[in-house]
Amino acid sequence: MKLYKVTTADQYNRNWVYTVSADSEHEALWKVKANAISSGETLLTIEEVR
């Protein structure tokens, strides 16, 4: 597992940063999507934390 930093923005242009452990960027996005993106946030970046 790797750590990924996923940054999103909400409707008020506030940035939210989530750190998740996952095997791939796709899995990291899936984990964040279940919580954040489904509530109206927009994905900005996904990057691996080293």
Side-chain angles (χ1 to χ4, degrees):
M1 291 250 172
K2 300 176 184 175
L3 284 177
Y4 290 93
K5 180 174 81 170
V6 182
T7 307
T8 64
D10 65 13
Q11 63 185 351
Y12 303 107
N13 292 326
R14 293 180 294 194
N15 289 349
W16 297 91
V17 178
Y18 301 92
T19 304
V20 296
S21 62
D23 290 323
S24 66
E25 286 184 2
H26 183 268
E27 184 181 354
L29 176 60
W30 183 80
K31 288 182 176 185
V32 171
K33 184 177 179 181
N35 294 324
I37 296 173
S38 62
S39 67
E41 295 181 21
T42 303
L43 176 67
L44 296 178
T45 63
I46 299 177
E47 56 187 273
E48 185 178 338
V49 178
R50 297 180 183 201

XYZ file of all heavy atoms in Angstrom:
405
model
N 0.841 -1.189 0.000
C 0.000 0.000 0.000
C 0.880 1.244 0.000
O 1.940 1.276 0.576
C -0.881 0.029 1.244
C -1.943 -0.990 1.313
S -3.479 -0.122 1.125
C -4.578 -1.486 1.005
N 0.377 2.257 -0.656
C 1.046 3.552 -0.724
C 0.111 4.606 -0.146
O -1.082 4.381 -0.024
C 1.354 3.905 -2.177
C 2.245 2.914 -2.879
C 2.409 3.297 -4.330
C 3.210 2.255 -5.064
N 3.295 2.545 -6.494
N 0.679 5.739 0.205
C -0.125 6.866 0.662
C -0.330 7.838 -0.483
O 0.606 8.148 -1.224
C 0.561 7.596 1.815
C 0.511 6.932 3.175
C 1.311 7.761 4.171
C -0.912 6.779 3.655
N -1.564 8.312 -0.625
C -1.896 9.290 -1.654
C -2.538 10.503 -1.014
O -3.336 10.375 -0.079
C -2.866 8.690 -2.680
C -2.234 7.638 -3.544
C -2.301 6.308 -3.206
C -1.560 7.992 -4.709
C -1.712 5.332 -4.003
C -0.971 7.037 -5.510
C -1.050 5.713 -5.155
O -0.460 4.762 -5.943
N -2.164 11.672 -1.512
C -2.782 12.928 -1.080
C -3.752 13.332 -2.180
O -3.358 13.537 -3.324
C -1.723 13.995 -0.855
C -2.289 15.325 -0.397
C -1.201 16.303 -0.053
C -0.679 16.941 -1.308
N 0.232 18.085 -1.046
N -5.022 13.421 -1.831
C -6.068 13.777 -2.785
C -6.615 15.141 -2.387
O -7.071 15.327 -1.259
C -7.198 12.719 -2.788
C -8.255 13.074 -3.813
C -6.640 11.320 -3.051
N -6.546 16.098 -3.307
C -7.011 17.454 -3.040
C -8.300 17.706 -3.814
O -8.375 17.412 -5.007
C -5.950 18.485 -3.459
O -4.704 18.157 -2.848
C -6.362 19.891 -3.048
N -9.294 18.232 -3.121
C -10.573 18.554 -3.739
C -10.944 20.001 -3.394
O -10.354 20.604 -2.509
C -11.699 17.619 -3.251
O -11.895 17.812 -1.853
C -11.382 16.161 -3.523
N -11.922 20.533 -4.091
C -12.445 21.874 -3.803
C -13.958 21.765 -3.683
O -14.597 21.035 -4.439
C -12.082 22.850 -4.901
N -14.527 22.493 -2.730
C -15.979 22.467 -2.567
C -16.614 23.655 -3.293
O -15.936 24.431 -3.953
C -16.383 22.409 -1.088
C -15.991 23.649 -0.300
O -15.624 24.671 -0.897
O -16.069 23.595 0.940
N -17.914 23.766 -3.158
C -18.639 24.820 -3.875
C -18.275 26.223 -3.430
O -18.590 27.204 -4.113
C -20.139 24.599 -3.735
C -20.633 24.681 -2.299
C -22.091 24.335 -2.172
O -22.783 24.191 -3.174
N -22.566 24.201 -0.951
N -17.608 26.371 -2.286
C -17.197 27.681 -1.782
C -15.715 27.944 -2.052
O -15.111 28.824 -1.461
C -17.466 27.774 -0.283
C -18.916 27.512 0.052
C -19.297 26.322 0.664
C -19.906 28.428 -0.279
C -20.631 26.061 0.951
C -21.237 28.181 -0.001
C -21.592 26.994 0.613
O -22.911 26.737 0.888
N -15.102 27.134 -2.954
C -13.694 27.236 -3.332
C -12.738 27.012 -2.172
O -11.624 27.537 -2.167
C -13.391 28.573 -4.010
C -14.046 28.669 -5.359
O -14.176 27.673 -6.063
N -14.481 29.860 -5.718
N -13.175 26.224 -1.194
C -12.274 25.805 -0.117
C -11.624 24.501 -0.552
O -12.295 23.602 -1.049
C -13.025 25.577 1.190
C -13.597 26.853 1.781
C -14.327 26.562 3.050
N -15.509 25.744 2.718
C -16.527 25.522 3.529
N -16.525 26.030 4.738
N -17.542 24.786 3.152
N -10.310 24.394 -0.370
C -9.596 23.168 -0.709
C -9.603 22.222 0.483
O -9.419 22.650 1.624
C -8.163 23.465 -1.110
C -8.075 24.148 -2.457
O -9.055 24.223 -3.182
N -6.907 24.646 -2.781
N -9.788 20.952 0.200
C -9.764 19.899 1.201
C -8.709 18.890 0.790
O -8.626 18.515 -0.370
C -11.127 19.214 1.298
C -12.198 20.144 1.754
C -13.002 20.908 0.971
C -12.565 20.438 3.100
N -13.857 21.663 1.749
C -13.606 21.391 3.061
C -12.125 20.001 4.330
C -14.207 21.890 4.207
C -12.728 20.510 5.469
C -13.748 21.440 5.405
N -7.894 18.460 1.738
C -6.840 17.494 1.450
C -7.117 16.236 2.254
O -7.299 16.287 3.472
C -5.448 18.063 1.811
C -4.371 17.025 1.555
C -5.182 19.331 1.030
N -7.164 15.116 1.544
C -7.389 13.811 2.163
C -6.150 12.967 1.930
O -5.585 12.960 0.837
C -8.595 13.108 1.530
C -9.872 13.886 1.645
C -10.279 14.761 0.634
C -10.684 13.761 2.764
C -11.455 15.477 0.736
C -11.862 14.482 2.876
C -12.240 15.332 1.860
O -13.401 16.049 1.957
N -5.708 12.257 2.954
C -4.607 11.320 2.814
C -5.170 9.930 3.008
O -5.776 9.635 4.044
C -3.506 11.597 3.856
O -3.087 12.953 3.719
C -2.321 10.677 3.656
N -4.992 9.085 1.996
C -5.546 7.737 2.044
C -4.464 6.730 1.671
O -3.550 7.033 0.909
C -6.758 7.567 1.099
C -7.909 8.442 1.530
C -6.389 7.866 -0.326
N -4.577 5.533 2.212
C -3.680 4.456 1.809
C -4.416 3.598 0.791
O -5.586 3.263 0.971
C -3.249 3.627 3.014
O -4.361 3.012 3.607
N -3.710 3.296 -0.297
C -4.325 2.531 -1.380
C -3.226 1.887 -2.216
O -2.057 2.262 -2.124
C -5.176 3.450 -2.243
N -3.619 0.918 -3.032
C -2.672 0.239 -3.916
C -2.439 1.005 -5.213
O -1.439 0.796 -5.893
C -3.164 -1.169 -4.251
C -3.097 -2.092 -3.042
O -2.136 -1.976 -2.260
O -3.999 -2.933 -2.883
N -3.366 1.902 -5.586
C -3.241 2.643 -6.840
C -3.965 3.983 -6.715
O -4.741 4.195 -5.786
C -3.852 1.844 -7.992
O -5.248 1.718 -7.799
N -3.714 4.867 -7.684
C -4.417 6.153 -7.709
C -5.916 5.933 -7.880
O -6.721 6.645 -7.295
C -3.896 7.027 -8.839
C -2.537 7.611 -8.585
C -2.090 8.555 -9.679
O -2.847 8.805 -10.627
O -0.959 9.066 -9.577
N -6.273 4.956 -8.671
C -7.688 4.652 -8.908
C -8.380 4.263 -7.602
O -9.490 4.724 -7.310
C -7.805 3.528 -9.944
C -9.217 3.213 -10.296
N -9.956 2.258 -9.652
C -10.031 3.758 -11.231
C -11.166 2.215 -10.172
N -11.236 3.117 -11.136
N -7.737 3.424 -6.801
C -8.325 3.025 -5.524
C -8.403 4.217 -4.565
O -9.389 4.375 -3.834
C -7.512 1.898 -4.891
C -8.119 1.376 -3.598
C -7.319 0.282 -2.943
O -6.330 -0.193 -3.528
O -7.680 -0.109 -1.817
N -7.389 5.069 -4.570
C -7.406 6.262 -3.715
C -8.571 7.162 -4.092
O -9.288 7.665 -3.223
C -6.083 7.013 -3.827
N -8.770 7.350 -5.386
C -9.893 8.169 -5.847
C -11.213 7.549 -5.420
O -12.114 8.245 -4.970
C -9.843 8.322 -7.360
C -11.008 9.075 -7.994
C -11.083 10.485 -7.438
C -10.867 9.089 -9.499
N -11.337 6.252 -5.531
C -12.564 5.555 -5.142
C -12.869 5.761 -3.661
O -14.005 6.010 -3.288
C -12.439 4.069 -5.467
C -13.670 3.298 -5.167
C -14.791 3.202 -5.924
C -13.920 2.525 -3.992
N -15.710 2.401 -5.302
C -15.204 1.976 -4.110
C -13.162 2.242 -2.854
C -15.759 1.172 -3.127
C -13.721 1.429 -1.874
C -15.005 0.916 -2.023
N -11.826 5.683 -2.818
C -12.024 5.863 -1.376
C -12.470 7.282 -1.041
O -13.339 7.489 -0.208
C -10.743 5.527 -0.619
C -10.452 4.053 -0.588
C -9.212 3.758 0.215
C -8.978 2.265 0.314
N -7.843 1.957 1.193
N -11.879 8.273 -1.702
C -12.257 9.666 -1.445
C -13.625 9.959 -2.036
O -14.434 10.655 -1.439
C -11.190 10.635 -1.997
C -11.671 12.069 -1.933
C -9.896 10.482 -1.227
N -13.896 9.412 -3.204
C -15.168 9.667 -3.875
C -16.348 9.257 -3.009
O -17.368 9.928 -2.976
C -15.209 8.932 -5.205
C -16.440 9.215 -6.009
C -16.375 8.503 -7.349
C -17.646 8.793 -8.128
N -17.646 8.122 -9.415
N -16.208 8.172 -2.287
C -17.282 7.695 -1.432
C -17.651 8.731 -0.376
O -18.811 8.837 0.015
C -16.869 6.388 -0.767
N -16.682 9.542 0.052
C -16.936 10.514 1.114
C -17.099 11.936 0.607
O -18.054 12.618 0.933
C -15.788 10.502 2.126
C -15.715 9.209 2.870
O -16.726 8.612 3.180
N -14.510 8.749 3.133
N -16.151 12.388 -0.174
C -16.073 13.807 -0.491
C -16.720 14.183 -1.810
O -17.543 15.094 -1.858
C -14.617 14.231 -0.510
N -16.336 13.525 -2.854
C -16.775 13.947 -4.177
C -18.278 13.749 -4.337
O -18.948 14.533 -4.999
C -15.958 13.224 -5.267
C -14.488 13.644 -5.140
C -16.478 13.534 -6.656
C -13.537 12.895 -6.031
N -18.815 12.737 -3.671
C -20.259 12.521 -3.754
C -21.040 13.645 -3.084
O -22.222 13.811 -3.337
C -20.625 11.169 -3.141
O -20.275 11.151 -1.780
N -20.378 14.436 -2.236
C -21.049 15.555 -1.576
C -20.875 16.859 -2.341
O -21.095 17.933 -1.800
C -20.541 15.702 -0.137
O -19.187 16.092 -0.142
N -20.443 16.777 -3.603
C -20.366 17.968 -4.436
C -18.983 18.567 -4.589
O -18.834 19.618 -5.187
N -17.955 17.924 -4.079
C -16.602 18.455 -4.226
C -16.032 18.066 -5.587
O -16.417 17.073 -6.184
C -15.701 17.934 -3.102
C -16.122 18.442 -1.740
C -15.232 17.951 -0.618
O -14.093 17.553 -0.875
O -15.704 17.946 0.517
N -15.097 18.867 -6.066
C -14.457 18.640 -7.353
C -13.019 18.182 -7.127
O -12.293 18.789 -6.334
C -14.445 19.942 -8.175
O -15.790 20.399 -8.317
C -13.831 19.731 -9.542
N -12.605 17.149 -7.829
C -11.248 16.637 -7.719
C -10.267 17.622 -8.339
O -10.473 18.104 -9.447
C -11.138 15.286 -8.434
C -9.751 14.675 -8.496
C -9.286 14.290 -7.091
C -9.747 13.480 -9.416
N -9.183 17.937 -7.609
C -8.141 18.817 -8.139
C -6.881 18.025 -8.491
O -6.422 18.080 -9.625
C -7.798 19.922 -7.143
C -8.919 20.910 -6.822
C -8.455 21.913 -5.777
C -9.381 21.628 -8.071
N -6.323 17.303 -7.510
C -5.103 16.533 -7.755
C -5.084 15.240 -6.951
O -5.722 15.142 -5.909
C -3.827 17.329 -7.386
O -3.848 17.607 -5.987
C -3.695 18.608 -8.166
N -4.309 14.289 -7.470
C -3.966 13.069 -6.728
C -2.462 12.919 -6.874
O -1.937 12.956 -7.979
C -4.630 11.812 -7.314
C -6.140 11.908 -7.274
C -4.166 10.572 -6.560
C -6.835 10.723 -7.920
N -1.752 12.776 -5.745
C -0.311 12.570 -5.826
C 0.130 11.593 -4.749
O -0.438 11.530 -3.667
C 0.444 13.884 -5.714
C 0.155 14.687 -4.470
C 0.809 16.057 -4.495
O 1.984 16.140 -4.065
O 0.161 17.007 -4.957
N 1.150 10.829 -5.105
C 1.691 9.847 -4.163
C 2.568 10.578 -3.146
O 3.369 11.441 -3.493
C 2.529 8.824 -4.928
C 3.027 7.716 -4.055
C 3.823 6.678 -4.825
O 3.642 6.577 -6.061
O 4.619 5.977 -4.197
N 2.414 10.208 -1.878
C 3.213 10.785 -0.793
C 4.417 9.896 -0.586
O 4.279 8.678 -0.474
C 2.390 10.878 0.510
C 3.248 11.430 1.638
C 1.161 11.727 0.303
N 5.590 10.476 -0.561
C 6.810 9.665 -0.394
C 7.478 9.951 0.905
O 7.385 10.934 1.493
C 7.774 9.943 -1.531
C 7.165 9.526 -2.824
C 8.065 9.775 -3.969
N 7.324 9.401 -5.175
C 7.884 9.105 -6.299
N 9.167 9.146 -6.403
N 7.166 8.794 -7.311
